[in-house]
Amino acid sequence: MPAVLPALLQRFDIPGPRYTSYPTADRFVEAFNAVDYGQALVQRKTGVSTPLSLYVHIPFCESLCYYCACNKIITRHHSRSAGYLRYLSREMDLHTQQLGQGQTVTQLHLGGGTPTFLSDDELRELMAMLRRSFTLAPGGEYSIEVDPRTVDAARLRTLAQLGFNRLSFGVQDFDADVQKAVHRIQPFEQVSALMAQARELDFDSLNMDLIYGLPRQSPESFARTLEQVLQLRPDRIALYAYAHLPERFKPQRRIHSADLPGAAAKVAMLAQSLAAFRDAGYVYIGMDHFALPHDALAVAKRQGRLHRNFQGYSTQPDCDLIGLGVSAIGRIGATYSQNAKTMEEYCDHLGQGRLPVVRGLALNRDDLARRAVIMALMCKGQVIFESIEQAWLLDFRSYFATELEQLRDMADAGLLLLDESGIEVTAQGWFFVRAVAMVFDRYLQADRHRAKFSRII
């Protein structure tokens, strides 16, 4: 894993999407509604079915993390989750009316918000509902995001008994001053104990989320956090750059801009993170993901089986995704969809017997061809022209002539190799693969305004 050169960061650190989909969610339109989504479900039932993945959004959190940009509801009234489960059950019923009972699911992810806001009994109820509606395949990937402040050894044991085999711990930073500045206090000792207990329960993979660029962080303080993280040695690490966008995300207005580290400090934190992970034996998966060599994600990268969906990199084959819950995003066939973002609207749709989809997109041929190119870059670091030409009946060099010309600057900088047969991202270029993919984003090329996106750093 090479070091990131600061000169390249200055040239190619361009704000842009994370490409968990293409087109990206900000391109969804309200003209796509529940009727269109229902038709896509019917087409899935009558057509050749691809594998199926489920995402369930649990929006509740007991306290506010100031950096958070997720769709969440801050409440200490746990009674609210019982009503929410009833609406989730209705949403599942509406899906099975279209798809039939028992569609096989190979991947399930509970996100939020804080999924572990639910009580043990509520988690049991949710999993029972899912199993009534779908068939969870043996050997599938079943993951849940865990707030260390909301679980103990007994709760971890419950998660294992319910069938979860992957946990993702939200840590962000172990420094006490940083935790205070972002309103998320969770001592290292607490997380360490939970990690040890999770290993005793034999979960397949433990992930840890980190964020650099938070208030009161410095290269020195983050170096200590990295040392503690590597002491715990999670199977996977997700390292995100904090994007300070208080005009879009109200909680971030509680963060004082003067407390944020400068660009040079962020570059230093990224560089030292990459070096630390490399020296500890982690494989750089892409974007902001790292994994130990034995982890399924690292194995999938070695074997060229990486995929990307709304949860990030995945080992699962390219598959349809049903999003359940308020604001959840899904993908069925050549469509994307998103549920209502407010609890009131979400419940109103379901109360009237309608799927709560309020926006989405039906992809055209150009979208699908560009998605294939972008995902090949993001997952394999390589585009073979002939494979795209055969799949989409186009002449790559002619169809993407403008894009290929734009790539020459990146090729000259050593980020990629470009020849008559295809594009190959270099080891240095992997750190900028998002910038490479952006060249093929027709929507961005038409709209150069990118201030709403995060940077690499």
Side-chain angles (χ1 to χ4, degrees):
M1 190 194 311
V4 180
L5 301 177
L8 291 178
L9 283 171
Q10 291 176 5
R11 289 179 62 187
F12 298 107
D13 178 18
I14 307 169
R18 294 174 49 77
Y19 291 117
T20 52
S21 71
Y22 178 83
T24 50
D26 60 308
R27 306 296 174 176
F28 294 179
V29 295
E30 293 180 0
F32 184 100
N33 56 30
V35 174
D36 302 298
Y37 180 64
Q39 292 174 349
L41 291 175
V42 170
Q43 289 173 2
R44 174 184 165 84
K45 181 181 179 181
T46 57
V48 177
S49 292
T50 58
L52 185 62
S53 177
L54 295 178
Y55 171 74
V56 184
H57 188 77
I58 309 297
F60 306 108
C61 297
E62 284 193 1
S63 63
L64 178 66
C65 301
Y66 296 162
Y67 57 81
C68 185
C70 299
N71 185 297
K72 70 274 182 190
I73 296 170
I74 308 302
T75 180
R76 291 186 178 275
H77 298 290
H78 282 253
S79 58
R80 297 191 63 178
S81 53
Y84 185 62
L85 288 177
R86 289 194 293 272
Y87 282 102
L88 281 175
S89 180
R90 294 183 191 179
E91 189 178 3
M92 291 180 210
D93 289 343
L94 290 173
H95 277 87
T96 55
Q97 287 174 20
Q98 304 280 10
L99 290 172
Q101 208 90 7
Q103 287 257 329
T104 299
V105 170
T106 58
Q107 188 179 50
L108 166 68
H109 184 78
L110 266 61
T114 306
T116 45
F117 179 94
L118 300 181
S119 69
D120 286 355
D121 286 342
E122 287 171 335
L123 284 168
R124 291 188 185 96
E125 180 182 352
L126 174 58
M127 293 303 292
M129 287 160 39
L130 289 167
R131 287 192 165 96
R132 281 196 299 269
S133 300
F134 305 95
T135 299
L136 301 188
E141 290 191 358
Y142 307 121
S143 61
I144 182 171
E145 296 173 9
V146 173
D147 182 339
R149 300 170 298 176
T150 63
V151 297
D152 55 20
R155 296 216 74 195
L156 291 180
R157 192 174 300 108
T158 297
L159 295 178
Q161 292 168 349
L162 289 175
F164 291 103
N165 52 26
R166 297 174 185 276
L167 304 179
S168 181
F169 290 96
V171 170
Q172 325 317 345
D173 195 305
F174 281 123
D175 185 88
D177 287 340
V178 175
Q179 290 185 357
K180 184 176 180 181
V182 299
H183 199 237
R184 188 184 178 104
I185 307 298
Q186 49 189 31
F188 168 77
E189 292 74 17
Q190 180 184 32
V191 177
S192 177
L194 288 172
M195 293 276 288
Q197 292 155 356
R199 285 201 167 92
E200 289 178 3
L201 292 167
D202 206 26
F203 285 93
D204 290 345
S205 184
L206 303 179
N207 176 80
M208 187 177 292
D209 288 347
L210 303 175
I211 300 177
Y212 66 100
L214 292 174
R216 301 185 191 171
Q217 270 183 345
S218 67
E220 293 74 23
S221 72
F222 202 60
R224 292 191 293 272
T225 285
L226 292 173
E227 185 178 343
Q228 291 171 303
V229 168
L230 296 179
Q231 180 181 331
L232 300 180
R233 204 165 175 77
D235 301 286
R236 300 179 185 178
I237 298 172
L239 176 69
Y240 301 110
Y242 172 64
H244 190 56
L245 301 169
E247 68 280 1
R248 288 186 63 199
F249 306 116
K250 189 176 179 180
Q252 294 185 359
R253 297 172 192 171
R254 303 194 184 198
I255 291 177
H256 302 294
S257 298
D259 288 340
L260 295 172
K266 289 184 72 177
V267 170
M269 282 186 267
L270 175 59
Q272 68 188 18
S273 300
L274 297 174
F277 298 154
R278 177 193 62 215
D279 294 345
Y282 283 85
V283 175
Y284 180 56
I285 303 300
M287 286 288 288
D288 23 46
H289 285 69
F290 306 81
L292 290 172
H294 70 264
D295 188 84
L297 207 56
V299 174
K301 181 175 182 179
R302 286 198 300 273
Q303 297 177 349
R305 296 187 293 102
L306 270 185
H307 293 278
R308 194 158 175 81
N309 58 28
F310 287 107
Q311 279 73 60
Y313 283 109
S314 169
T315 63
Q316 295 293 294
D318 200 27
C319 62
D320 284 345
L321 167 67
I322 291 176
L324 300 169
V326 61
S327 79
I329 294 177
R331 166 193 163 179
I332 299 293
T335 70
Y336 293 126
S337 59
Q338 185 171 26
N339 286 348
K341 291 185 178 181
T342 67
M343 184 66 75
E344 181 180 19
E345 188 179 6
Y346 171 77
C347 295
D348 182 59
H349 279 274
L350 289 167
Q352 297 184 48
R354 300 194 306 265
L355 287 161
V357 170
V358 296
R359 60 197 291 264
L361 196 66
L363 280 63
N364 59 35
R365 179 174 173 273
D366 180 76
D367 292 332
L368 292 168
R370 290 176 183 274
R371 180 172 75 178
V373 173
I374 288 171
M375 292 306 166
L377 287 168
M378 298 292 294
C379 297
K380 298 181 180 179
Q382 184 182 51
V383 177
I384 300 173
F385 294 163
E386 185 179 4
S387 65
I388 300 297
E389 290 173 340
Q390 291 179 353
W392 303 104
L393 302 178
L394 54 81
D395 181 278
F396 197 102
R397 283 166 288 270
S398 174
Y399 196 90
F400 295 112
T402 301
E403 289 81 358
L404 291 173
E405 185 61 33
Q406 291 180 38
L407 288 179
R408 296 198 180 281
D409 187 36
M410 293 183 178
D412 292 342
L415 303 188
L416 55 89
L417 302 175
L418 183 62
D419 59 27
E420 289 301 308
S421 63
I423 305 163
E424 184 173 355
V425 178
T426 65
Q428 185 71 223
W430 260 112
F431 298 111
F432 303 92
V433 68
R434 172 166 60 177
V436 179
M438 287 165 61
V439 172
F440 292 92
D441 188 331
R442 179 174 62 85
Y443 298 89
L444 274 186
Q445 298 304 321
D447 175 11
R448 304 295 292 183
H449 180 65
R450 299 169 179 162
K452 58 190 170 182
F453 297 117
S454 66
R455 293 177 179 265
I456 295 170
I457 61 162

